[in-house]
Amino acid sequence: QTMNPVPTEPFQPSFFNRFGQWLRESLMVKLLSIGFILLLLLIPNSMIEHMIYERQSRQGQVFDDVSQSWGGEQAIKGPVLSVPFTAKYAESDGTITQTRSTAYFLPQHLEVQGDLKHQIRKRSIYDVVLYQAEIRLSGTFARPDFKALNVEPENVHWEEAKLSLGIQGMTGIKEIIEMDWSGTGIRMEPGTADQAILPTGVSAAVPVSANTEKHEFSIPVKLNGSKNFKVEPVGKSTRVALQSDWHSPSFVGNFLPDQREVTAAGFTASWQVLDLNRPYPQQWKGNDAKFGGSSFGVRLVKPVDEYLKNTRSAKYAVLVIGFTFLLYFFFEMLKNLRIHPFQYLLVGLALTVFYLLLLSLSEHIGFDAAYLVSAIATISLITGYSAAVLGIKRLVIQLFLMLVVVYGFVFILLQLEDYALLAGSAGVCIILAAAMYASRKINWYDLKEK
């Protein structure tokens, strides 16, 4: 007698099995997990941006240290002729009060000629651009007109007249300053006649009298400096001519040069400024005028700033990661693949490491070469990993080509500068259009359909 088999019930998956299956196949869960990973990757990206800022600040500190030891930024203000006088005032009771004051006079004509020879000093991994300037200031002072200042000639102390020249970086003075004053050689001493007008600089007592129509002067100055070199247009007519062997100048200040020529061998530039172009007069007494604030000149800058380009490159991280995730998502949906969120995370981290490689390499081999090396390393890493994950050679080739296009497009954006926003907007529009075209026939409610 045979025994009848016991009927078995069909297998019923548990709640946890059904929940796990839903997690694997739910489109909403997949999109949420990709979005969460994308937001999570913003953390290391922001850390890299902060690191770029720190390295840039470190570069600035090195520049400042070397510059201060060499001479710092230089600005020439003057020359200014100061002549003391005694002012008399009648009080209400009839007594006469006498006070001592100073009248200031600026030159009728000022001509500044300068030759800036650059030097490159290296500290740690940074190159610092310095210069040594040979400057000659020449021109004429007219006879001081005290009548225009309502000062009686007999109250003027002509014998105490001083000529002051403001120099911003006193540590950069490399030679004794001996000026020519109407044919007489006079050595200039440290300190100015009035620190309220010229805080730092040199000065010398000069012979001035009411009988002399004009005084000619010539002042040679040899200075060490860095970054900026500026001149204050104190003449009624000021002409400045600068030349240098530095090939990347940036003209700064209140006035741009009237003529300039920049070549690979250096630059030349010239300015002509009138007293009408500035807010203070040619002569004043006491504190009647606010002197300064109209300087102009040139800045010697490095033509390539690696940290600025690194910062701009890092701003495109979300675009690169988002586009790569979008490509993986379409591969997964259209080819019925299953890519785990952890694999998305690894790919995203590889894309983020690109910016760390770019920063570290650009400090040593330059930005363009660093970008090429970092892009090759990142694309090779992602392509090799994707070959194992996707398992379809054609998809891996497509991914490789798309990454090459994306990194090439970002590099072009970094070079455009003025048109980067326009080109970037057009690129994002094209990517969105391609995604809409590729997904136009997908039935998102039933992705299992053929």
Side-chain angles (χ1 to χ4, degrees):
Q1 186 177 6
T2 61
M3 297 179 62
N4 294 328
V6 178
T8 59
E9 295 182 359
F11 174 73
Q12 296 291 334
S14 66
F15 169 79
F16 294 103
N17 289 333
R18 292 196 303 272
F19 182 73
Q21 184 71 17
W22 176 76
L23 288 179
R24 287 192 295 271
E25 296 181 357
S26 173
L27 176 63
M28 182 59 66
V29 172
K30 175 64 67 175
L31 291 175
L32 289 176
S33 61
I34 293 175
F36 176 75
I37 293 172
L38 184 60
L39 293 176
L40 192 64
L41 290 172
L42 293 179
I43 298 175
N45 185 69
S46 64
M47 294 173 64
I48 292 175
E49 289 188 2
H50 183 68
M51 186 181 299
I52 295 173
Y53 174 75
E54 286 184 344
R55 301 295 290 181
Q56 191 173 23
S57 298
R58 171 60 181 162
Q59 181 191 48
Q61 291 177 355
V62 171
F63 283 9
D64 291 340
D65 291 343
V66 175
S67 298
Q68 291 303 320
S69 301
W70 176 259
E73 299 184 15
Q74 293 292 1
I76 300 295
K77 225 182 244 194
V80 178
L81 179 63
S82 58
V83 183
F85 66 93
T86 300
K88 298 181 180 181
Y89 303 96
E91 301 291 344
S92 57
D93 58 358
T95 59
I96 302 298
T97 301
Q98 296 184 359
T99 59
R100 188 180 176 87
S101 187
T102 304
Y104 301 94
F105 304 89
L106 302 181
Q108 287 292 106
H109 174 70
L110 174 64
E111 185 167 343
V112 181
Q113 294 182 337
D115 186 7
L116 282 62
K117 301 292 186 184
H118 87 278
Q119 296 185 23
I120 301 293
R121 295 295 176 92
K122 191 174 183 66
R123 176 174 291 187
S124 183
I125 61 174
Y126 304 109
D127 293 332
V128 183
V129 181
L130 308 171
Y131 65 81
Q132 189 169 83
E134 293 186 2
I135 310 299
R136 180 171 292 276
L137 299 92
S138 58
T140 57
F141 277 92
R143 180 174 53 198
D145 187 5
F146 277 93
K147 289 185 178 181
L149 298 177
N150 297 320
V151 177
E152 296 299 329
E154 62 272 13
N155 295 329
V156 178
H157 305 287
W158 298 100
E159 70 283 358
E160 299 181 27
K162 274 191 173 184
L163 188 74
S164 301
L165 179 66
I167 300 176
Q168 180 173 334
M170 295 290 288
T171 58
I173 299 176
K174 303 311 294 179
E175 291 182 354
I176 293 174
I177 302 177
E178 186 171 344
M179 71 171 174
D180 182 283
W181 179 262
S182 297
T184 303
I186 303 175
R187 186 184 190 275
M188 304 193 79
E189 304 293 338
T192 63
D194 190 341
Q195 293 186 353
I197 301 297
L198 298 172
T200 58
V202 293
S203 63
V206 292
V208 179
S209 69
N211 301 323
T212 306
E213 192 67 28
K214 66 177 182 179
H215 294 278
E216 296 182 352
F217 67 89
S218 177
I219 309 174
V221 183
K222 189 172 183 179
L223 294 172
N224 286 348
S226 62
K227 295 183 182 177
N228 295 342
F229 176 79
K230 292 183 178 181
V231 176
E232 183 73 24
V234 298
K236 193 166 188 177
S237 172
T238 302
R239 292 179 60 86
V240 178
L242 298 179
Q243 65 178 22
S244 174
D245 56 357
W246 183 247
H247 54 83
S248 181
S250 175
F251 299 104
V252 295
N254 287 33
F255 306 97
L256 292 176
D258 300 316
Q259 295 180 347
R260 63 178 180 176
E261 182 179 359
V262 181
T263 65
F267 73 88
T268 59
S270 62
W271 293 258
Q272 182 167 1
V273 182
L274 302 176
D275 59 338
L276 298 174
N277 303 133
R278 57 168 206 251
Y280 50 88
Q282 279 299 113
Q283 58 185 29
W284 68 94
K285 59 181 179 180
N287 297 321
D288 292 347
K290 186 177 180 181
F291 179 62
S294 299
S295 61
F296 60 89
V298 66
R299 174 182 297 167
L300 305 189
V301 296
K302 293 187 67 175
V304 178
D305 189 342
E306 288 82 5
Y307 295 112
L308 179 60
K309 287 193 173 183
N310 271 278
T311 301
R312 293 182 59 208
S313 177
K315 293 184 183 298
Y316 294 102
V318 175
L319 175 65
V320 176
I321 296 173
F323 176 73
T324 306
F325 281 8
L326 181 65
L327 202 60
Y328 262 79
F329 177 74
F330 274 109
F331 286 163
E332 185 176 1
M333 294 297 103
L334 297 178
K335 299 301 179 181
N336 199 25
L337 301 173
R338 287 294 177 264
I339 302 176
H340 196 274
F342 183 73
Q343 293 171 317
Y344 277 93
L345 178 62
L346 290 179
V347 173
L349 289 175
L351 293 169
T352 303
V353 169
F354 164 81
Y355 300 99
L356 187 60
L357 284 174
L358 179 61
L359 172 62
S360 57
L361 289 174
S362 63
E363 293 182 332
H364 299 277
I365 62 176
F367 182 84
D368 292 350
Y371 192 95
L372 178 62
V373 174
S374 303
I376 292 175
T378 303
I379 293 173
S380 301
L381 180 62
I382 295 176
T383 303
Y385 181 71
S386 300
V389 172
L390 300 177
I392 303 176
K393 184 177 180 181
R394 181 168 57 87
L395 297 183
V396 175
I397 294 175
Q398 290 178 3
L399 177 65
F400 171 79
L401 294 177
M402 290 298 178
L403 288 175
V404 170
V405 171
V406 168
Y407 279 108
F409 176 67
V410 172
F411 183 77
I412 293 174
L413 287 182
L414 296 176
Q415 306 304 315
L416 290 177
E417 293 188 0
D418 294 339
Y419 297 97
L421 180 59
L422 177 61
S425 302
V428 171
C429 185
I430 292 173
I431 292 173
L432 180 60
M436 295 173 68
Y437 179 81
S439 61
R440 68 192 187 282
K441 294 183 179 181
I442 297 178
N443 184 358
W444 297 101
Y445 288 104
D446 192 356
L447 293 175
K448 294 182 179 181
E449 287 188 359
K450 185 175 180 180

